[in-house]
Amino acid sequence: MSGQGFVYGIAAAITCAIQLTGYAVAYSLKTETFYDILGGVNYLALALWSAVAGSIDAPLNWVDDPRKILVTILFICSRGWLLIFLAWRAHERKGDSRFDEVLGKGGGQPQPFGFFVFWMAQAFWVFLISLPMLFVNSSQVNKPGFSAYDIAFAILFCAGVLIEILADIQKALWVKRGRKGDFCTDGVWAVSRHPNYFGEIFQWWCLFAFSYSSSSNNGYADPLWWVGILSPLFTMQILLTMEPTGLCNAEGKNLKRYYDKCPERYSKYRENTSILIPIICYKYVPMFLKRTIFFDFEKYEYKPKSDGSVKNE
């Protein structure tokens, strides 16, 4: 097995061990309390493992390779924030309603396989998101300096992380202040209806692009580099198309509370505010662009039933 293959293989084994152990303990206790926390711990474990193991037979030790140091630090900052925020949110909410059905909290029958699926989905997400970081840390390429390309994508990655952090903090403060205005329009929420999801997706596209310079086969010819594209693609799959999380959980039928309470104000907010990509003057963007590159798909519209019929927003 190649050096990179060894790093990837053990990283997959670490992920499976953490998530399977978490599932077994959590199901025995009938709790989801440390689901998100173990996800964050898993990320940090992979960063530590790849930093140590990636130095084996490498031209430079990890401490002497600025590219690996930078990627590891950026990755830990991103996932460290996620760990802190999700742990705080779990404490504040005293639970996660996503797991009520599979844990039988509503009086129903517990579903061990359904609960297992949640943990395996997290295992896939953690491992796939980590691919660009694993690629850089396990690379045998000796490129101690940074090109303009590297610097640009490192800065853009930082911007994605910062947007996500700002969005999380601004939303949390808005909730603490009593949810003034019924829906959040503070800070970055004034230019995106889901800036936290944008930041999460954007940063992984940037890290995938950054990892190009660590390829030993001129990037485009390196199949292992291309495997890293699963990081942003899987993130988009989770946040854009899968229930009960992401946009599918936040939009559509779950917008009912806004249309019942403040239909005119919320309709105006949707018209003027991008669903994902932060942009001003969104209402002037042609509909065909909204339905394509801006990801404002029709399935996210609220369609209330009236007199047995279904109508668009």
Side-chain angles (χ1 to χ4, degrees), residues 135-147:
F135 181 77
V136 174
N137 275 350
S138 63
S139 173
Q140 303 296 305
V141 173
N142 182 7
K143 291 183 180 178
F146 295 107
S147 66

Side-chain angles (χ1 to χ4, degrees), residues 100-111:
D100 288 351
E101 183 177 355
V102 293
L103 290 176
K105 290 188 176 182
Q109 187 72 19
Q111 303 171 23

Side-chain angles (χ1 to χ4, degrees), residues 186-230:
D186 295 349
V188 291
W189 295 86
V191 291
S192 171
R193 304 204 301 272
H194 302 285
N196 51 339
Y197 296 153
F198 169 78
E200 179 72 13
I201 292 170
F202 183 68
Q203 63 186 277
W204 302 122
W205 278 112
C206 293
L207 195 62
F208 166 66
F210 180 90
S211 67
Y212 174 83
S213 297
S214 294
S215 170
S216 59
N217 295 311
N218 298 319
Y220 295 118
D222 191 331
L224 199 56
W225 176 72
W226 278 109
V227 170
I229 202 172
L230 292 174

